[in-house]
Amino acid sequence: MTETKISPILTRHLPLVLIGLLMAFPFYWMVTSGLKTNDEIWQFPPTFWPESPQWGNFLEAWEAAPFWRYMANSIGVAGAIAIIQVINSAMMAYALTHMKFRLKGLLTALILLGYMVPNTAVYLPSYIVLSKLHLLDSYAGMILSNCVSVFSIFLIRQAFLQVSHELVEAGHIDGASHGRILGSILVPLTRSSFAVLVLITFIEQYNNYFWPMLITKSPDLQLVSAGLRSFFVEGGAYGLKWPLIMAASSFTIMPLLLLFLLTQRTIMQSVNLSAGVNKG
Amino acid sequence: MIPLTMFWLIPLGYAFYLSFTEWDFMSPDKLFVGMANYAELADNPAFYKALRVTLLFTAGSVLPTLIGGLGFALLLNSKLRFSGIYRTLIFSPWVTPTVAVAIVWSWIFEPEVGLANNVLRFFGSEGVGWLGDPSWALIGILIVTCWKSVGWAMVFYLVALRNVPRDLLEAAAIDGAGSLRRFTYVTVPLISPTTFFLTIVLIIQSLQAYDQINVMTQGGPSGSTRTLLYMYYQSAFEAFNIGEASSVAVVLVIGCVLLSMVSFAVSRSSVHYH
C-alpha cells in the first residue's frame, strides 16, 4: 500500500494503540484487581488504580495454596516433555525423510491424517491404556502420554526435507551411522526449528489443563492450571476472595509472559515454519 | 514410534470399537451393542443441542478470528514505528494459560460490578447477565476465545502479506485499480493459502475448546455452552457412559475428517499457490 502518507498517526497508530490497549487490558485489570481490597474490588464505579495497593495479597495468595509446587510441577513436566518430544520427533522425522523402508508412504499418510484428527478422540482410550500400565496419577504417566506429538513430527519433517539428500549421502559414504548423521549433520542445520519446537511445546504443556487434570487425582501432582482452577473453586470462588484469585492468576501467568518477552523472535518464527507445514 | 502407536493409533481404533459397546468403566466386561449407541444419540435432543452449540461456537470463533487477524495484520503491515510493541501486545494472550485468563474474564463478566457491564452502562445499556444468562453465556466465551487467538492469526497474516509481491500490486495500480479492488483481486487470492490453513487449524481448535468452558460456565446455563466435546467429557468422566462418549468422539472425528476433505476440495478450486 503506497498512499499511507496522508497521516499515519491518525489512520494507523490510533487504531493500533486502541487495539493494543484493549488486548492488554485484561492483564492490567488482573494485576490491579489483585492489589485491591475486597471492599474496593466490589466498589462501584470501579477504580482504575487501587487506592492503597495491597501488595500483601500476592504473598497471601502464594501461601494460600501450594503454588510453588504447582509451578514446579508444570515447569518440570513441561520441560521433560519438550526434551523427549524433540528427540522423538527428530528420530521420526529422520526416518520419514532420509531413510528408505517399506510402508514409508503409509506411515507418512497416517501422520498426515493424525494432524487432522482432534486428539479428543483418543482421550478415553489413552486413559484406559494408562490405567492398564498403572501410570495414572504419576509424573511418568503425564510425561509419557505427551511425549509424542504429530505436530512436532511435522515441524521437524518439514525442516529436514529442506536439507539436501546429498549431504546425507555423503555422510553414509563416509561410514557415519544414522545416529551420527542425525546428530552432526541434520540437527545442527535445523537448529532454529528445534528452538521453536522446544519453546512452543513448553508453553503448551505449561498451560495444559484438560488431560493432566483427567489423569491425576492427587493434589501434589497438579499442574499450575488445575491448581489455579481448584483455588478458584475452593477459595470461596464465586464471590469472596477475588483479589487473591486475581493475584494468583497474575503470578501463574508471569513466567510465561517473561519467557515470551525474552524469546518472542523465536516464537514468532514458528509461524514461518508451521505455515510451511501445510505445503508439505 | 512406540509411543505414537500406544497413545495415538491404538487408542483411535479402540475408541471406534468402544463406541459399539455398553460399558460403565468399572465392570469387567463390555457388552457389544452394535449401532445402539449411535441410534440413541440420534434420538437424543441433548446431542442436537450440543451439535448446534458446537457449530455456533465454531463459526463464532473462527470467523472473527480470521477477520480480526487479517485486519490487524493490514494495520501493522508496512514499516511502522513501534510495530513490534503492538505485535507483542496483540499476541501475548495466546501465550498465557487459558485457565488463568478465563478466570480473569469471569471477573470482567461479573454482572454487578464487572468491567463488561460497566462499559455497557457507560453507553446507556442496562448490562446483561453474561455467563449466567443462557443467551449471553456463549457470547462471553466466544469473546475470550477470539481475544486469545486473534494475535496468533495476525502473525500468520503478517507473514503472508509480506510475501505478496509488490510489483503485482503496482501493476494493478497502474491498470487503475483502487486500493479496495487491489485488495480483493490481488491480495486476498494471494494470501488464500494462509486463510485456508488458518481455517482448518482454527476449526480443529474450536472443536477441542474445553478449558474456558470448564472454568467459565461448565456447559451451562441450561446447556447453552455445552459443545460436543464438553458432552463427551461429561458422559465419559462424569456419567461413565463410555459407549455414548465414544460414539460422540467418533462423530467428532468423522465431522473433522469430512470438514478437512471439503476444505481440500474448496482449496483446489479457490486457493492459489504461487
Side-chain angles (χ1 to χ4, degrees), chain A residues 160-196:
Chain A
F160 280 3
L161 279 178
Q162 280 152 19
V163 178
S164 83
H165 263 293
E166 281 140 42
L167 265 174
V168 178
E169 289 295 313
H172 273 305
I173 292 164
D174 290 345
S177 65
H178 286 309
R180 217 185 133 77
I181 294 177
L182 184 61
S184 50
I185 302 178
L186 286 168
V187 174
L189 280 173
T190 50
R191 265 197 310 266
S192 61
S193 295
F194 281 99
V196 165

Side-chain angles (χ1 to χ4, degrees), chain A residues 1-4 8 11-17 19-27 29-30 33 41-46 48 88 92 107 110-111 113-133 135 141 144-150 153 200 203-204 206-211 213-214 224-226 228-229 232-233 238 242 245-246 249 252-253 256-257 260-261 264 267-268 270-272 274-275 277-279, chain B residues 1 3-4 6-12 14-15 18 23 25 30 72 74-78 80-84 86-101 103-108 110 112-115 118 121 146-148 150-152 155-157 159 162 166 169-170 179 182-183 187 193-194 196-197 200-201 204 207-208 210-211 214-216 218 229 232-233 236-237 241-242 245-246 249-250 252-253 256-257 260 264 273:
Chain A
M1 316 275 154
T2 38
E3 71 264 75
T4 42
T11 56
R12 278 163 185 255
H13 283 286
L14 192 67
L16 277 170
V17 167
I19 290 165
L21 287 179
L22 210 64
M23 296 298 286
F25 199 78
F27 294 125
W29 202 238
M30 169 181 75
S33 300
I41 204 169
W42 286 99
Q43 195 177 305
F44 179 84
F48 278 82
N88 241 324
M92 277 296 285
L107 190 62
L110 267 177
I111 291 177
L113 186 74
Y115 192 53
M116 277 164 212
V117 172
N119 34 17
T120 319
V122 299
Y123 281 150
L124 215 155
S126 298
Y127 184 86
I128 297 169
V129 170
L130 272 185
S131 80
K132 291 243 164 79
L133 294 171
L135 284 175
L144 194 65
S145 56
N146 269 314
C147 68
V148 62
S149 134
V150 178
I153 298 174
I200 296 282
I203 291 174
E204 255 172 25
Y206 182 94
N207 294 344
N208 205 353
Y209 172 61
F210 189 14
W211 179 245
M213 187 198 61
L214 270 185
V224 90
S225 286
L228 185 63
R229 150 96 179 144
F232 175 55
V233 176
Y238 303 98
W242 276 108
I245 289 162
M246 291 295 130
S249 307
T252 49
I253 282 182
L256 283 190
L257 282 183
F260 170 58
L261 287 180
Q264 41 163 322
I267 292 177
M268 301 278 185
S270 73
V271 171
N272 288 314
S274 49
V277 163
N278 72 94
K279 288 174 195 155
Chain B
M1 194 62 221
L4 188 71
M6 211 158 68
F7 292 102
W8 191 253
L9 294 178
I10 293 179
L12 202 59
Y14 198 44
L18 282 176
W23 188 34
F25 210 75
K30 311 175 184 82
F72 294 176
L74 283 172
L75 280 172
L76 273 177
N77 191 30
S78 82
L80 194 69
R81 283 218 290 174
F82 313 121
S83 64
Y86 297 133
R87 212 181 45 192
T88 308
L89 284 178
I90 296 173
F91 190 74
S92 53
W94 189 77
V95 185
T96 50
T98 313
V99 172
V101 295
I103 290 176
V104 175
W105 278 93
S106 31
W107 173 239
I108 293 177
E110 207 285 324
E112 298 287 316
V113 299
L115 196 65
N118 270 313
R121 286 193 200 107
C146 297
W147 172 74
K148 204 164 184 304
V150 70
W152 183 77
V155 177
F156 278 88
Y157 274 127
V159 176
R162 214 175 300 141
R166 265 182 184 273
L169 288 170
E170 275 156 21
S179 55
R182 262 177 306 171
F183 177 70
T187 311
T194 302
F196 170 62
F197 169 77
I200 292 196
V201 176
I204 292 180
L207 289 179
Q208 305 207 44
Y210 170 82
D211 303 8
N214 182 240
V215 170
M216 294 170 73
Q218 277 139 37
L229 174 67
Y232 166 79
Y233 164 75
F237 298 99
N241 192 341
I242 306 302
S246 300
V250 170
L252 259 177
V253 170
C256 256
V257 173
S260 315
F264 271 116
Y273 292 97

Side-chain angles (χ1 to χ4, degrees), chain A residues 215-234:
Chain A
I215 61 173
T216 55
K217 290 282 167 289
S218 62
D220 278 358
L221 289 177
Q222 278 187 338
L223 300 191
V224 90
S225 286
L228 185 63
R229 150 96 179 144
S230 41
F231 182 65
F232 175 55
V233 176
E234 285 156 20

